[in-house]
Amino acid sequence: MAITAADVSKLRKSTGAGMMDCKKALTEAEGDFDKAVEIIRKKGQAIANKRADREATEGVVLAKVTADKTRGALIVLNCETDFVAKNESYVDFAMSILDLAIAENPADLEALKALELNGRPVAELVSEQSGVIGEKLDLAAYEVISAESVSAYIHAGNKLATLVAFNQADIDEQVGKDVAMQAAAMAPVAVDADSVPADVKEKELEIGKDMARNEGKPEAMLEKIAMGRLNKFFKENTLMEQAFVKDNKLTIKQYLDNTSKGLKAVDFKRYTLNN
């Protein structure tokens, strides 16, 4: 049976595989379209299995909010090389998974992988794309956040993204973006001092005491000095207390309150592939 260019094009559109791979699959399947699709899927699984022990540390980090801006999702789709991560079709594939997450609101990463996209489980499609691309792919992370308002930010290059939740509805879009960019740029450890994990506080207090002790400070003063340093840590490392990068005369807390009385960031998610 003769394999036509239209047959190859149809299979390529259906699977995303290369022209030559589609032609070979159709030839092997003797023109049977469904059989050719299965051949390409099996090839993708075989390549995925073969490359399972490879490191997939490149990729994209994408974030998006719902139309009403009350929920946001963030995903990480890893690959092996930056060359693939920058490919438009790869980014589009990752965005289609994120769009699905926004639409369906799965509970966790495994639930997202089980959702169907174009009639197939996401996990299966990721595996298949490994065969199309020839690299290990890994849907490595999924975060979701809900609040009165949620803002998202994706840094240029798709290696870093954030979601920030606020306690008021319908906040100014630029304000939300400013704070999401702040979280991206300054990598806070928590939204505010109360949200810093207890073990982190204890560690910082011990570091503060050790530093003061090494500086020859009296033992009776160590606790007070350490507390002062802990408060400095909060100002530098919690989102609400950090100096606003666009106007360092203001903290984020002051910037938000000036925008709308009582407006606060109440949670955030941040993920980066940059070292």
Side-chain angles (χ1 to χ4, degrees):
M1 176 179 179
I3 305 302
T4 67
D7 293 332
V8 174
S9 179
K10 180 183 176 184
L11 184 59
R12 186 174 188 227
K13 185 177 181 180
S14 175
T15 64
M19 296 289 283
M20 289 306 297
D21 286 335
C22 288
K23 187 174 181 181
K24 288 177 182 177
L26 282 164
T27 300
E28 184 179 338
E30 298 179 339
D32 186 315
F33 183 81
D34 291 338
K35 188 175 179 182
V37 169
E38 189 61 28
I39 288 169
I40 287 174
R41 287 177 181 171
K42 286 180 178 178
K43 179 186 175 186
Q45 185 61 57
I47 290 176
N49 291 342
K50 186 177 180 181
R51 303 185 76 85
D53 60 347
R54 293 285 191 120
E55 289 230 347
T57 56
E58 293 292 341
V60 294
V61 186
L62 303 175
K64 187 174 183 179
V65 297
T66 53
D68 64 4
K69 299 181 181 179
T70 61
R71 177 167 49 86
L74 179 154
I75 68 154
V76 181
L77 182 65
N78 285 137
C79 57
E80 295 178 36
T81 65
D82 190 48
F83 176 78
V84 166
K86 290 178 178 177
N87 186 282
E88 185 177 348
S89 63
Y90 181 82
V91 178
D92 288 346
F93 176 58
M95 187 57 76
S96 70
I97 296 173
L98 178 57
D99 286 340
L100 181 67
I102 285 290
E104 299 296 333
N105 194 23
D108 53 29
L109 180 59
E110 290 308 308
L112 173 57
K113 289 180 177 180
L115 287 178
E116 289 198 352
L117 179 62
N118 300 325
R120 306 259 308 286
V122 168
E124 191 176 305
L125 290 176
V126 170
S127 178
E128 182 178 295
Q129 284 298 304
S130 290
V132 171
I133 294 169
E135 289 192 6
K136 176 183 177 179
L137 303 189
D138 180 25
L139 185 56
Y142 161 65
E143 299 281 357
V144 65
I145 197 168
S146 297
E148 293 296 317
S149 292
V150 180
S151 295
Y153 172 70
I154 305 172
H155 191 60
N158 300 322
K159 303 290 186 185
L160 165 64
T162 57
L163 294 168
V164 180
F166 300 92
N167 67 335
Q168 294 180 12
D170 302 319
I171 69 166
D172 183 88
E173 186 174 339
Q174 186 59 51
V175 172
K177 183 179 179 182
D178 282 343
V179 181
M181 289 175 68
Q182 173 88 18
M186 301 306 292
V189 299
V191 70
D192 54 27
D194 291 338
S195 303
V196 176
D199 60 332
V200 174
K201 292 178 183 178
E202 290 170 11
K203 181 181 177 182
E204 290 301 319
L205 280 172
E206 286 306 312
I207 290 172
K209 289 178 185 177
D210 287 343
M211 289 175 65
R213 191 176 289 114
N214 292 336
E215 291 166 0
K217 305 296 184 185
E219 197 70 24
M221 295 289 293
L222 297 187
E223 186 74 29
K224 183 177 180 180
I225 293 170
M227 281 302 301
R229 285 178 170 155
L230 180 61
N231 288 330
K232 182 182 179 184
F233 172 84
F234 292 152
K235 288 181 179 180
E236 293 175 348
N237 295 281
T238 63
L239 181 59
M240 289 290 284
E241 295 300 326
Q242 284 178 337
F244 183 27
V245 292
K246 290 175 115 178
D247 181 356
N248 60 18
K249 293 178 182 177
L250 296 173
T251 63
I252 291 295
K253 181 179 180 179
Q254 290 168 333
Y255 169 61
L256 290 175
D257 197 58
N258 289 348
T259 301
S260 177
K261 195 67 178 174
L263 177 60
K264 297 178 182 178
V266 292
D267 198 4
F268 74 93
K269 304 291 182 183
R270 181 183 187 274
Y271 201 107
T272 181
L273 294 177
N274 299 322
N275 294 326

